[in-house]
Structure formats: C-alpha cells, structure tokens
Amino acid sequence: MQLPSPLDLIKNTPYSEYTSFPVKLTGGFINHVWRLTNKNDGKSVIVKYAATELAGAPGEKFSLERMEFEARGLTLFCSLPEPLANDEILCQINELGKKIVSTPCVHVPRLLHYDKNVPFMVLEDVGDLKTYDAWCTATDEAKANSEDIEF
C-alpha cells in the first residue's frame, strides 16, 4: 500500500507552511502519524492519516469511520456551537470533556483541521509526552511521580 506524503495531505490547508522536518511518529497501531514543523516559525503540528489497513498490521482492514469517530470525539473537548449547545446529552458529555481537559497531567490535543474525504486530520502538537498505554502499564509509584500523558 502506497502512503500519501504528509506534505501532500496538508498542501491545500492552512498548514501548508508546515513543510520542514516531517518525522514519522512510532508507537501507534491504528493510523499513520507524522510531526510537521512550520518552516517560518518552528512550531509543529501532528498529521494523522487513516489508511484502509492498520498501520501496525499491514493487510488487516479497518474501517475508515474511525477517523470520523475520533474527530467527533475531539470536538467534545471544545465549546459546542449552536444548535449543538441546546442538546442536553451533548452538553453533559461536553462538561465531562472539560473536566478531563482540566485534569492535571492529561493533555487532549485540539483538532485543527479534518478532511473526511481523504481521511486525515491535523492536531495540536502537545509535545513528547508519555503515551496513554505506557502510563496505564506503569506501576502505581511511577504514576504518582508521573510525567504528563497524551490522551
């Protein structure tokens, strides 16, 4: 399977200046993920691409709806626009999201761009943090002295 270049994915987005030092990130099993750096100011973003096969298990098919599900989930950590702000259940979920975001050591990246037709998304780069899996498998003592984690 031929993967698209992350630079091609962002070409027609507000993140087209992020063309320096594309780095493929490891540790993920589902999607293909890169860190891209803005050639002008050095800031970085994360580009995530959903192929029809699992990134960590080539040949294993997996629904592309996963990217839509993730994009919708990430929006629950943001302010709800009208008319969604009038939906009682979404408001309750959004309040839970705000509590998660305000929890020390937990960082939920902001969804900056999403293209469901490709499908790929651009996320805020929250830095080189311990993954959720690594944090969950750590001992209780290590968790008590834990670094921040990426959700």
Side-chain angles (χ1 to χ4, degrees):
M1 176 186 70
Q2 180 71 27
L3 284 179
S5 159
L7 301 178
D8 288 339
L9 292 171
I10 63 163
K11 194 178 292 182
N12 295 314
T13 73
Y15 302 94
S16 60
E17 296 293 315
Y18 287 76
T19 58
S20 298
F21 310 111
V23 176
K24 180 123 170 86
L25 301 180
T26 59
F29 184 75
I30 307 296
N31 298 305
H32 300 275
V33 183
W34 299 268
R35 175 176 282 126
L36 300 179
T37 304
N38 185 309
K39 64 183 177 185
N40 297 320
D41 64 14
K43 293 181 181 179
S44 61
V45 294
I46 301 299
V47 175
K48 187 181 278 193
Y49 170 73
T52 57
E53 299 177 353
L54 293 172
E60 294 295 322
K61 303 288 185 197
F62 198 51
S63 172
L64 295 177
E65 290 179 340
R66 68 186 187 267
M67 185 70 62
E68 178 76 15
F69 181 79
E70 182 175 354
R72 288 182 183 188
L74 287 169
T75 62
L76 294 177
F77 296 100
C78 305
S79 298
L80 289 174
E82 295 293 336
L84 298 178
N86 296 322
D87 184 308
E88 183 178 340
I89 293 173
L90 283 181
C91 286
Q92 289 173 359
I93 294 170
N94 187 252
E95 286 302 312
L96 175 61
K98 288 178 186 174
K99 289 177 183 175
I100 290 171
V101 170
S102 66
T103 301
C105 300
V106 175
H107 300 274
V108 179
R110 286 182 302 129
L111 178 63
L112 303 174
H113 179 84
Y114 173 56
D115 183 336
K116 69 179 180 180
N117 296 317
V118 173
F120 83 99
M121 62 175 61
V122 178
L123 300 165
E124 170 188 30
D125 187 351
V126 294
D128 292 321
L129 303 175
K130 188 179 287 188
T131 65
Y132 181 69
D133 287 344
W135 188 83
C136 285
T137 58
T139 65
D140 288 339
E141 182 180 339
K143 285 179 187 174
N145 299 317
S146 168
E147 303 169 3
D148 291 352
I149 64 168
E150 178 182 0
F151 214 165

